[in-house]
Amino acid sequence: MPRPAVWRRSLRLRVVTSTTVLSLVVIAVLGQFLVQRIADGLIDAKVAAGLAEAAAGAGDAQESFSASGAGEPQLVTELAAQVVQRLATSGGPAGLNDVLLVRSPSAADAPPGVAVDLSSCPADAPCEVPERLRERVRATSAQQWTYVTTPAEDGRPVPGLAVGSPVVLPGTAGPYELYYLFPLDQEQETLGLVRRTMLAGGLALVVLVALLAWLVTRQVVSPVQAAARIAERLAAGRLEERMHMRGEDDLARLAASFNRMATNLQGQIRKLEELSRVQRRFVSDVSHELRTPLTTVRMAADVLHDAREDFDPVTRRSAELLQTQLDRFESLLADLLEISRFDAGAASLEPEEVDLRDVAQHVIDASEALAEAKGSDVVLVAPPWPCTAEVDRRRVDRVLRNLVVNAIEHGEGGPVEVHVAQDRDAVAVAVRDHGCGLRPGEAALVFNRFWRADPARARTTGGTGLGLSIALEDAQLHGGWLQAWGEPGDGAQFRLTLPRRAGQELAASPLPLEPPDARRGRGSGVGGPYRRTAGRA
């Protein structure tokens, strides 16, 4: 079950809640322990006092019976009643009590008229002595006790203590049993008061602990939260933000260290920004300044190239090499100028409704000569219906030209397929070759500037090493994706995905990044979501 966001994001809530819950558990366990100890102490004191009072009362009763010379049953009965009444009203440390004088079964054969069972209990609430206690008294002929339930004055049952001792009445009455009944209602009320007091004190203590935890966490967490807010502002570009320092404690040192870090970070970022501006300005200035001498050199080279038939073989070959390298230099200069515009943020789109099937076919036709020279067959795989999108035709043409030329260059004479598809939100073009492919990890590097999979490999088409970098910038300028997949020995596939409407965000591509004919499980691709579509979008 996922945790609520407020619980995951609030350190203060977690600390206060954990502290409160743990305090509640500790206080509950400690309170239960203390109440139990108090209850044991009260009961033990009551039992000790009751046993002592019962023993004294039994001794007093036995002395009275032994000292009496009464032999008549009527006199014995009166004497027994007086003793029971005196013992019941005497009281003692154990509190008020009820006294019972019960005939033992061995006295059942006494002559008629001998004393009957006597009790000081109220007539409407008779005292009951458990039979198991009577059996123990008769079996041991010594004092015994047990817990019982006795009626209170209002008739409700309350816990009590029953203590029994054997006594012998004078004359022919025989053995009797004397029982003291001590109610524990006062102890029960005392324990109830203790429980209520412990509960109220425990709740008050828990509230106090929660308040203290909140205050402590506020002092600790507030600077951390302030540091998080300022860090977010620094990440958003507000490099002048700083933390407020108070005092000289650990949190103040944290704020000072954070501010020093922010100051150093601000200085380094400004240095990097300045260096980046200088580099961009340098590339832009050099590129523009090279145009004038390059134009002059181009004019002279064109004259030499046109007149190469009149030269000797060495001079003629030099003129041809000069023309080829000038073409490559012009291409590099154009790419550098385009890169400088991207770096400066000056690149802009000129969107129009374009059918990407026509753009792909135009690129294939323009690359026909190179494909024939390499022995590759470039095939367009597209639906019979238009695949339109609002794009900058010039930039998309440049992206596809880079992809197709690279596929032919690295396809090693194998076929090259250009797939076009669309769905409701996006249009995609995938260029598939069956050449050397890409090693693991290279799919994320192919769009780096001047990166080459094999530095020793010669560029037979005069590439500058900036084509895929510019293609990626063009794709991102449209809000689209340009992604690569490749596997050693199984070729590579580059997929361009563009939104059908300018400014629309992409969620998936109508073409898979990994081609269906690839050997599964071995490719190294860097791509995004793919949504399979069927029929016309």
Side-chain angles (χ1 to χ4, degrees), residues 142-153:
Q143 187 185 63
Q144 299 293 329
W145 67 277
T146 187
Y147 293 110
V148 295
T149 301
T150 63
E153 294 181 358

Side-chain angles (χ1 to χ4, degrees), residues 104-106 131 133-141 177 179:
S104 296
S106 59
E131 185 62 30
L133 177 61
R134 297 193 62 187
E135 293 176 355
R136 287 161 51 193
V137 171
R138 292 193 298 268
T140 61
S141 297
E177 300 161 13
Y179 293 95

Side-chain angles (χ1 to χ4, degrees), residues 268-499:
Q268 293 296 329
I269 290 177
R270 287 180 176 175
K271 288 181 181 178
L272 292 175
E273 289 177 348
E274 183 63 25
L275 179 61
S276 178
R277 284 195 297 268
V278 170
Q279 289 177 340
R280 291 197 300 268
R281 184 65 180 271
F282 174 78
V283 172
S284 178
D285 292 346
V286 170
S287 300
H288 283 88
E289 291 298 329
L290 286 176
R291 279 198 170 277
T292 299
L294 180 61
T295 302
T296 303
V297 174
R298 163 61 70 183
M299 295 174 59
D302 288 342
V303 173
L304 293 176
H305 187 267
D306 292 341
R308 66 184 183 281
E309 298 298 333
D310 299 333
F311 300 153
D312 57 87
V314 175
T315 306
R316 183 169 59 251
R317 180 57 179 165
S318 298
E320 292 173 351
L321 291 176
L322 177 62
Q323 188 74 9
T324 301
Q325 295 303 316
L326 277 175
D327 291 340
R328 184 176 180 183
F329 186 63
E330 283 186 334
S331 177
L332 175 61
L333 183 60
D335 289 344
L336 287 175
L337 287 173
E338 189 67 22
I339 286 290
S340 66
R341 281 192 286 270
F342 281 120
D343 290 342
S348 60
L349 286 177
E350 297 179 2
E352 58 179 312
E353 194 79 13
V354 174
D355 188 349
L356 264 71
R357 299 180 307 164
D358 298 338
V359 180
Q361 186 61 56
H362 176 266
V363 171
I364 293 174
D365 294 341
S367 306
E368 184 177 356
L370 177 61
E372 290 180 356
K374 288 290 185 177
S376 296
D377 186 16
V378 184
V379 180
L380 175 63
V381 182
W385 53 81
C387 297
T388 60
E390 294 180 0
V391 297
D392 189 326
R393 184 186 185 96
R394 177 182 65 87
R395 295 183 182 277
V396 174
D397 184 275
R398 180 167 60 193
V399 173
L400 296 183
R401 185 170 65 252
N402 271 293
L403 299 182
V404 172
V405 169
N406 280 342
I408 296 173
E409 173 73 14
H410 298 88
E412 298 181 348
V416 175
E417 298 99 21
V418 180
H419 299 265
V420 182
Q422 74 169 5
D423 59 18
R424 184 182 60 184
D425 302 319
V427 63
V429 181
V431 180
R432 169 82 162 108
D433 68 72
H434 300 271
C436 58
L438 296 173
R439 291 187 292 269
E442 291 184 346
L445 302 175
V446 293
F447 301 106
N448 293 346
R449 297 176 184 180
F450 300 106
W451 183 85
R452 297 171 66 181
D454 185 2
R457 185 183 180 95
R459 294 189 185 273
T460 59
T461 58
T464 64
L466 295 173
L468 288 178
S469 299
I470 296 175
L472 179 62
E473 296 284 358
D474 283 331
Q476 293 176 347
L477 191 63
H478 283 84
W481 304 332
L482 181 58
Q483 298 144 323
W485 170 92
E487 180 181 337
D490 198 25
Q493 176 164 291
F494 287 77
R495 181 184 69 180
L496 172 67
T497 307
L498 302 173

Side-chain angles (χ1 to χ4, degrees), residues 189-237:
E189 292 177 0
T190 302
L191 286 177
L193 177 61
V194 170
R195 288 193 179 95
R196 291 191 296 272
T197 304
M198 292 289 293
L199 180 60
L203 293 178
L205 185 58
V206 168
V207 173
L208 180 61
V209 168
L211 180 61
L212 291 176
W214 185 82
L215 292 175
V216 172
T217 54
R218 180 183 180 185
Q219 293 179 354
V220 176
V221 174
S222 295
V224 177
Q225 292 175 337
R229 290 193 298 269
I230 293 175
E232 292 176 354
R233 295 170 186 171
L234 290 174

